[in-house]
Structure formats: structure tokens, C-alpha cells
Amino acid sequence: MTATDAELTALAQGWCSLSVLHGRIEMHIEQALLAEHGLSVREYSLLDVLSRQYAGEGGHLRMAQVADAVVLSKSATTRLVSRMEDRGLLTRYLCQTDRRGIYTEVTDSGRELLEAARPTNQRALREALDAASGDPELLPLVRALAGADASATATTR
């Protein structure tokens, strides 16, 4: 099946709208997190991803998994983790069964900062989505996100 020019144009416009929405949301959240907690969006995302891992065997992420989870290159992830480790928010350690593997986990200080920053992140996300809903090109995406959130909430009850 070959897409028509009109289908490709619509797809490209949809992608552009999604990119604009993502950029606006990320910028708004970044400003709020930096102002209130000294955290970038990437730092918050990394703390969030790592905090969702359970303790014990296999409960922590290797650096390559961390890079995939926060959508950064391996070298950028290493720099990010190093900066956060220097701040006492994360720690790294060697895997006991494979000495080549390095795991990363959140420290108590990192968990405290994450919990303090969660309401800020949620508020800034809501504000950004509310602002974006005033743009007719972005409104369908905002509605789709709201529908996805409602579906996820309903399935977890």
C-alpha cells in the first residue's frame, strides 16, 4: 500500500503539530522545575524512571537502559548521571554477576527531590496543555492525551 501525497502531507503536518506540542510542554515544565527545584526536565525524567524500579536483583537499570528511557545518547546519559551523582541524587555500582555492567539507582536525596518536584511537574504539564488547547492545530492532540490519560486511569482502578 502506497500513501498518497495528501496522506503524506497530513502525516507530516500531524508530526509537526506533535513536535510543537512536545516542545511547548517541555519548555514550560523545564522552566518550572528549574525555578522551583533546580532540576532540568531530563534530570526529573531520569529520577522518575529510576524511582520506578524495584529494589533487588534486576531492579535497577544498566546505563544503556537508562539512555533508552530518557532518550539520550549513551555519552550524554553518562554525563547526566555523573552530574546527578555529584549532586548526591544518584549512585552507580557494578553488577555483582557481570562486572562489565554498571547499574544506576536513586539515592534518598534524589527520591526526596523527586517527590517535592512531582506536583510542580504535574502542575506545569496541566498549564502547558491548557495553553495548547487554545491552538486549533494542537487541540486534537491535547484531547487525545486527555483521552489516553482517562483510559489509563480507568484501567488502573
Side-chain angles (χ1 to χ4, degrees):
M1 178 175 154
T2 304
T4 65
D5 286 344
E7 290 170 331
L8 291 174
T9 298
L11 183 62
Q13 287 173 335
W15 170 246
C16 184
S17 294
L18 181 60
S19 180
V20 166
L21 179 61
H22 177 269
R24 287 184 186 179
I25 291 170
E26 188 171 62
M27 182 176 61
H28 190 77
I29 293 173
E30 175 100 8
Q31 290 170 344
L33 288 173
L34 281 172
E36 295 182 37
H37 306 284
L39 278 176
S40 70
V41 168
R42 295 282 189 217
E43 291 168 335
Y44 177 88
S45 296
L46 180 53
L47 287 173
D48 185 54
V49 165
L50 289 172
S51 75
R52 295 177 192 276
Q53 301 305 306
Y54 60 90
E57 185 67 25
H60 307 283
L61 296 180
R62 289 179 181 251
M63 290 298 289
Q65 294 169 303
V66 171
D68 289 343
V70 295
V71 194
L72 288 174
S73 69
K74 288 178 186 173
S75 62
T77 301
T78 299
R79 289 190 303 274
L80 176 63
V81 168
S82 293
R83 283 193 312 271
M84 293 178 74
E85 190 175 33
D86 290 346
R87 291 173 58 189
L89 303 174
L90 301 176
T91 187
R92 287 183 275 195
Y93 61 93
L94 290 174
C95 173
Q96 295 300 319
T97 58
D98 178 2
R99 304 297 277 175
R100 297 169 295 167
I102 298 175
Y103 287 124
T104 306
E105 68 181 357
V106 181
T107 63
D108 289 341
S109 295
R111 275 188 281 286
E112 289 172 13
L113 181 57
L114 175 63
E115 289 311 310
R118 271 192 210 284
T120 303
N121 182 72
Q122 291 170 347
R123 184 194 76 238
L125 173 59
R126 174 55 38 214
E127 290 169 356
L129 288 171
D130 288 348
S133 67
D135 184 329
E137 286 187 38
L138 301 180
L139 183 57
L141 294 170
V142 172
R143 286 184 176 149
L145 283 172
D149 181 50
S151 295
T153 302
T155 59
T156 58
R157 288 184 184 175

